[in-house]
Amino acid sequence: MYMVGSYGVYLALSLAVTVWVALSLKRNGRVFLVEAFQGNTEVADSVNHLLVVGFYLVNIGYVTMALRTEGALPGLREAIEMVCGKIGPVLLVLGVMHFGNLYIFHRLRQRGNPRRAGRGELGGWEDPRSKVLE
């Protein structure tokens, strides 16, 4: 009895948090991607969609792989501990994936803007010799 209920709670919580994080990444990451692709919204939206699909595949794959539990759950306490023991790693994987996506957005943004206004040839560092030669 507790096993099936625990699986239901685990799946519901894991999938809800996965969807929430994915929607947040999609909504907030679009701004970075549009900038990285110099205003080309079609390409930015396409890359954003692909990143979200990959995010879903990795996280839902992990959630389903971690579903199996050995042994019985004799009481409510053990059921709660089992769900918490499974949700914790899911949250850690979501966090790692989230920061991974942020890193990707950052790298794409850097690639799209190799020279930001006010920055020198060396990405913010001025070569002191260039002042002497002028």
Side-chain angles (χ1 to χ4, degrees), residues 94-115:
L94 283 169
V96 168
M97 292 294 295
H98 176 68
F99 283 114
N101 273 341
L102 288 176
Y103 179 74
I104 290 169
F105 290 156
H106 170 72
R107 295 295 297 176
L108 288 171
R109 189 173 181 210
Q110 278 185 332
R111 191 192 73 193
N113 296 316
R115 287 190 186 178

Side-chain angles (χ1 to χ4, degrees), residues 29-121:
R30 184 179 189 277
V31 175
F32 294 103
L33 291 172
V34 168
E35 183 180 340
F37 292 109
Q38 289 91 24
N40 188 340
T41 57
E42 189 174 324
V43 172
D45 289 340
S46 179
V47 169
N48 199 9
H49 180 74
L50 292 171
L51 285 170
V52 169
V53 168
F55 183 83
Y56 277 128
L57 290 172
V58 169
N59 287 298
I60 292 173
Y62 177 79
V63 165
T64 56
M65 285 177 50
L67 180 65
R68 185 177 178 147
T69 300
E70 297 294 328
L73 298 174
L76 183 59
R77 188 185 113 229
E78 290 83 9
I80 292 170
E81 289 173 354
M82 188 274 290
V83 170
C84 290
K86 289 187 176 297
I87 291 292
V90 168
L91 294 175
L92 290 173
V93 168
L94 283 169
V96 168
M97 292 294 295
H98 176 68
F99 283 114
N101 273 341
L102 288 176
Y103 179 74
I104 290 169
F105 290 156
H106 170 72
R107 295 295 297 176
L108 288 171
R109 189 173 181 210
Q110 278 185 332
R111 191 192 73 193
N113 296 316
R115 287 190 186 178
R116 291 183 162 274
R119 296 186 108 182
E121 290 284 327

